[in-house]
């Protein structure tokens, strides 16, 4: 019997890319490939790249070069680029990076096994010429669902497959194969974006906004629960738009309570929320539904009105603070995080001071700060009033220092609170580490549980916050602290 072909998936970028990698893994395993963790043990190393900002693109190129170095020293015979950077640049990336044996776009995903086999056999694959994927679907959102069946949309694989396609497969098995044993998993709610922020290129290579059907999201969540997942994070480019192409812009409000009833799931988290699209009903559901984390990942980007308008965005400092007041009036312990761009073309010292005013009043749990840089193909790249790179760097350092101070202060404010902590790692040196409802994976802080001996990964624990270490918290489990299913065992 011939030895099975082996493949390793190396994932960079956001949680949406992680979902895409697990769909690719499901497709490959269904076609007989053996998945391995280490690229050195694989016939083919598939690097799922990020194409968002320059730093992420550099990381993607470095990962491809690192995988290429394995060739000739072990089992690895080919290195293939997929993901956003591969989709965004196509032939250009293939020509600039001959170390990659193949550059595959989203349209190649449904035939990923055949593509990899061709490359592994020494056959050529002509990289695609990039196109604006916003033009592949109708302008009207309600006309997209049927058209979307003919357009490659990563992470939207069918949720009902024949037996044997995925681990513990059955009537709910999605086109997905988990690549780690984490008790947390992301679930695609939608893909693409209809917003036209002047600094962002994502819609051009991810396409227009298209929702997954609620039944697919529910079935995938049930399947993940069967795999031992305790927390799901709903991801997309803009979750507040979910359902608009299905004829119901309030569909998320009805879906969340259904997800909360899935047996085995202890926490549901919603990411990527647009402040301009927040509505009272959604705030109510996010702050009052059992098992739904009162967590608000709000994409503010700035707070000075002039800068926001140049970004093609809405709002201002006072409106944003009012939104946060509304949220906290319903859930005082709600978690809020956001990202900000400083040094945007035309940003004045007064604009920067206005952003600092907002940050000082917002009491955010986590803050990401980025210095502006041109992204090709965006409107902002054509603006004339660019700031000198030295000015951008100075403002980035200044706001980053402020952000670090403010998130530390916010963590200290939580001392004395009771938090529900999902245990994510147990290590002899680091101890028992998890996250509270106000902390998302990767992007936010974490909780160190003291006196957590005997706890295992996947346990949900009630704990009292007794200290803070920067953005991180230190907490002690309460007597009889296990929550949900674990409490009854």
């Amino acid at each position: 019997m011939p030895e099975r072909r082996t493949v390793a998936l190396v994932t960079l970028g956001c949680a949406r890319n992680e979902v895409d990698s697990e769909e690719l893994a499901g497709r490959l395993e269904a076609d007989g490939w053996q998945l391995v963790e280490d690229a050195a043990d694989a016939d083919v190393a598939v690097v799922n790249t990020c194409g968002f900002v320059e730093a992420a693109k550099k990381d993607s190129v470095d990962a491809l070069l690192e995988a290429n170095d394995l060739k000739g020293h072990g089992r690895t015979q080919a290195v293939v680029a997929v993901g956003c950077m591969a989709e965004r640049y196509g032939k250009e990336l293939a020509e600039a990076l001959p170390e990659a044996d193949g550059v595959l776009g989203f349209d190649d995903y449904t035939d990923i096994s055949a593509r990899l086999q061709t490359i592994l056999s020494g056959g050529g694959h002509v990289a695609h010429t990039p196109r604006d994927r916003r033009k592949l679907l109708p302008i009207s959102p309600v006309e997209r669902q049927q058209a979307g069946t003919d357009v490659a949309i990563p992470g939207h694989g069918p949720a009902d497959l024949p037996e044997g396609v995925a681990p513990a497969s059955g009537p709910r098995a999605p086109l997905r194969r988990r690549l780690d044993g984490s008790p947390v998993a992301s679930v695609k709610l939608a893909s693409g974006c209809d917003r036209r922020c002047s600094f962002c290129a994502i819609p051009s290579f991810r396409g227009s906004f298209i929702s997954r059907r609620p039944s697919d999201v529910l079935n995938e969540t049930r399947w993940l629960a069967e795999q031992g997942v305790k927390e799901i994070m709903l991801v997309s480019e803009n979750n507040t738009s979910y359902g608009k192409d299905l004829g119901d812009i309030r569909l998320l409000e009805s879906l969340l309570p259904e997800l909360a009833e899935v047996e085995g799931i202890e926490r549901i988290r919603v990411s990527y929320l647009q402040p301009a699209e927040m509505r009272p009903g959604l705030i109510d559901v996010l702050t009052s539904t059992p098992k739904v984390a009162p967590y608000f990942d709000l994409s503010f980007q700035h707070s000075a009105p002039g800068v926001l308008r140049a970004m093609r965005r809405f709002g201002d400092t006072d409106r944003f603070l009012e939104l946060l007041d509304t949220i906290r009036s319903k859930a005082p312990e709600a978690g809020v995080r956001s990202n900000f761009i400083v040094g945007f073309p035309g940003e004045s010292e007064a604009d920067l001071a206005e952003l600092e005013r907002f940050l000082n009043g917002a009491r955010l749990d986590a803050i990401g700060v980025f210095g502006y840089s041109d992204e090709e193909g965006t409107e902002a790249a054509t603006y004339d009033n660019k700031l000198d790179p030295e000015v951008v760097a100075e403002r980035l350092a200044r706001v980053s220092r402020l952000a670090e101070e403010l998130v530390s202060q916010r963590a200290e404010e939580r001392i004395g609170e009771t938090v529900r902590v999902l245990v994510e790692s147990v290590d002899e040196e680091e101890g028992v580490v998890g996250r509270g409802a106000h902390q998302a994976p990767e992007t936010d802080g974490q909780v160190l549980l003291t006196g957590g001996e005997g706890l295992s990964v996947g346990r949900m624990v009630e704990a009292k916050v007794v200290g803070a270490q920067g953005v991180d918290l230190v907490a002690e489990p309460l007597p009889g602290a296990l929550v949900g299913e674990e409490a009854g065992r």
Side-chain angles (χ1 to χ4, degrees):
M1 184 176 180
E3 187 175 6
R4 292 178 71 188
R5 302 157 295 178
T6 57
V7 59
L9 285 138
V10 180
T11 306
L12 295 96
C14 64
R16 296 168 302 226
N17 252 17
E18 294 171 7
V19 176
D20 295 349
S21 284
E22 293 197 350
E23 179 184 303
L24 290 175
R27 290 183 182 278
L28 289 167
E29 188 171 70
D31 203 45
W33 290 76
Q34 179 182 346
L35 298 164
V36 296
E37 291 186 13
D38 194 336
D41 298 327
D43 296 318
V44 185
V46 177
V47 180
N48 192 348
T49 60
C50 179
F52 181 38
V53 293
E54 285 304 317
K57 287 183 275 191
K58 182 182 182 302
D59 288 344
S60 295
V61 170
D62 288 345
L64 287 162
L65 293 175
E66 183 179 342
N68 181 69
D69 289 342
L70 297 172
K71 292 192 293 188
H73 299 286
R75 179 161 183 159
T76 309
Q77 301 173 52
V79 176
V80 174
V82 299
C84 291
M85 188 177 180
E87 174 61 38
R88 184 177 182 183
Y89 295 104
K91 285 185 176 180
E92 182 182 343
L93 178 61
E95 292 168 359
L97 197 69
E99 291 86 353
D101 298 284
V103 174
L104 305 183
F106 296 152
D107 292 332
D108 293 306
Y109 281 22
T110 54
D111 296 315
I112 185 69
S113 177
R115 298 287 187 271
L116 296 189
Q117 185 58 59
T118 296
I119 293 168
L120 191 59
S121 301
H125 175 76
V126 178
H128 65 285
T129 299
R131 52 183 173 167
D132 189 338
R133 297 190 73 86
R134 290 172 294 189
K135 298 178 180 179
L136 301 182
L137 293 169
I139 293 177
S140 171
V142 295
E143 296 176 356
R144 291 179 190 159
Q145 285 294 320
Q146 185 59 41
T149 60
D150 299 321
V151 175
I153 307 175
H156 286 229
D160 291 288
L161 295 170
E163 197 168 331
V165 170
S169 60
R172 289 195 292 268
L175 188 54
R176 179 172 181 172
R177 199 271 199 184
R178 296 216 69 206
L179 294 173
D180 62 41
S182 171
V184 183
S186 296
V187 174
K188 275 266 185 93
L189 197 60
S191 287
C193 186
D194 287 342
R195 301 186 72 86
R196 294 296 178 262
C197 301
S198 63
F199 56 85
C200 184
I202 290 176
S204 66
F205 55 86
R206 276 289 183 179
S208 298
F209 185 90
I210 186 165
S211 304
R212 293 183 72 198
R213 294 192 174 276
S215 57
D216 286 349
V217 177
L218 277 163
N219 283 339
E220 186 164 332
T221 299
R222 292 179 182 121
W223 178 81
L224 288 167
E226 292 170 358
Q227 310 306 301
V229 169
K230 298 298 180 183
E231 175 181 328
I232 63 163
M233 184 165 72
L234 299 177
V235 299
S236 75
E237 278 73 21
N238 177 12
N239 281 333
T240 34
S241 283
Y242 179 67
K244 71 176 186 178
D245 50 327
L246 295 171
D248 184 0
I249 191 60
R250 294 176 176 80
L251 193 55
L252 184 55
E253 287 94 307
S254 58
L255 176 61
L256 285 170
E258 291 187 72
L259 290 169
E261 293 178 359
V262 173
E263 185 178 353
I265 296 297
E266 295 292 342
R267 180 186 288 156
I268 297 140
R269 185 183 305 277
V270 183
S271 61
Y272 305 111
L273 300 168
Q274 286 290 341
E277 297 181 34
M278 290 301 293
R279 46 195 180 268
L282 180 56
I283 294 173
D284 287 343
V285 171
L286 288 169
T287 55
S288 65
T289 307
K291 295 188 178 182
V292 174
Y295 176 80
F296 293 80
D297 176 10
L298 293 162
S299 177
F300 289 121
Q301 302 299 344
H302 212 283
S303 73
V307 175
L308 286 168
R309 300 309 172 268
M311 289 178 169
R312 303 296 182 200
R313 297 177 67 85
F314 304 93
D316 55 49
T317 295
D318 293 331
R319 290 185 195 179
F320 290 163
L321 291 175
E322 182 180 347
L323 172 60
L324 295 178
D325 286 343
T326 299
I327 290 169
R328 289 176 174 135
S329 71
K330 298 175 181 294
E333 297 177 0
V336 186
R337 80 164 326 274
S338 191
N339 292 325
F340 300 88
I341 298 173
V342 297
F344 194 79
E347 181 190 63
S348 66
E349 277 289 341
D351 293 329
L352 194 67
E354 185 69 0
L355 173 58
E356 291 173 326
R357 181 171 82 88
F358 172 69
L359 291 174
N360 277 296
R363 296 169 58 229
L364 302 178
D365 292 279
I367 301 171
V369 187
F370 302 88
Y372 173 82
S373 62
D374 285 341
E375 275 296 310
E376 58 195 282
T378 64
E379 180 184 356
T382 69
Y383 289 176
D384 294 327
N385 48 351
K386 304 272 177 57
L387 303 185
D388 288 337
E390 294 80 7
V391 174
V392 175
E394 186 278 328
R395 292 184 179 185
L396 173 61
R398 170 177 156 185
V399 177
S400 295
R401 286 193 298 270
L402 175 62
E404 187 174 349
E405 294 172 6
L406 293 173
V407 296
S408 295
Q409 291 174 16
R410 179 66 183 127
E412 290 174 359
E413 288 179 16
R414 291 192 178 275
I415 295 175
E417 288 185 4
T418 297
V419 292
R420 296 176 77 241
V421 181
L422 176 63
V423 177
E424 292 192 348
S425 67
V426 178
D427 183 86
E428 288 187 6
E429 293 185 6
E430 295 186 3
V432 181
V433 177
R435 289 178 301 99
H438 68 286
Q439 299 166 316
E442 306 296 335
T443 57
D444 305 339
Q446 57 189 19
V447 179
L448 172 64
L449 287 169
T450 63
E453 294 80 6
L455 293 175
S456 57
V457 172
R459 291 290 184 97
M460 187 74 80
V461 183
E462 293 275 3
K464 181 178 181 180
V465 180
V466 297
Q469 299 175 352
V471 71
D472 299 327
L473 302 179
V474 179
E476 296 177 349
L478 297 173
L482 295 183
V483 175
E485 288 184 350
E486 305 293 349
R489 292 183 181 177

